[in-house]
Amino acid sequence: MWIGWIEFDVLLGDVHSLKEKRSLVRPLVAELKRRFEVSAAETGLQDQHRRALVGAAVVAPDHAHLQEVLDAVERFVAARPEFELLSARQRELHSED
C-alpha cells in the first residue's frame, strides 16, 4: 500500500477578506475530492486572506497509480486561474517503511 500527499501554497488574486478567500478555497477542496477521490482540506494560513495552504492525500495499491493521481492533482491546481501556485510539496510512503 502506498500513501501520498501533496500540499500547495497558493496566492489568491483580488481577495480582500477571509469570506472571499473561503469562497475560492472551499470549491477547490470540494472539486479535488470529487474529481480525484482524494482527501483534501485547507491545511494552513487560515488567518491570511490572500494565501492558503491546501493539502490532498491518497492511498493507492501501487506507486505508479499514486504518482499519477498526485501529478493530476498538481496540474489541476496549477491550471486554476484564480490561484497562483507558489509551491507544491509532495511526500510518499510505502506501508513497509
Side-chain angles (χ1 to χ4, degrees), residues 6 36 38 58 60 62-76 90 92:
I6 189 164
F36 301 103
V38 297
V58 63
D62 57 68
H63 185 261
H65 180 69
L66 176 78
Q67 195 62 55
E68 180 183 310
V69 172
L70 293 177
D71 289 346
V73 167
E74 184 172 358
R75 283 191 305 274
F76 178 78
Q90 184 173 320
E92 303 165 357

Side-chain angles (χ1 to χ4, degrees), residues 27-96:
L28 173 66
V29 169
E31 186 65 14
L32 289 173
K33 291 176 179 179
R34 187 192 69 75
R35 182 178 293 220
F36 301 103
E37 297 182 355
V38 297
S39 294
E42 183 178 1
T43 58
L45 303 176
Q46 283 94 346
D47 58 340
Q48 295 184 26
H49 67 274
R50 293 219 46 231
R51 298 263 308 274
L53 291 179
V54 176
V58 63
V59 175
D62 57 68
H63 185 261
H65 180 69
L66 176 78
Q67 195 62 55
E68 180 183 310
V69 172
L70 293 177
D71 289 346
V73 167
E74 184 172 358
R75 283 191 305 274
F76 178 78
V77 172
R80 298 292 291 247
E82 65 271 25
F83 300 108
E84 179 182 340
L85 181 57
L86 301 176
S87 69
R89 291 180 307 222
Q90 184 173 320
R91 290 283 310 259
E92 303 165 357
L93 291 173
H94 189 269
S95 59
E96 301 291 321

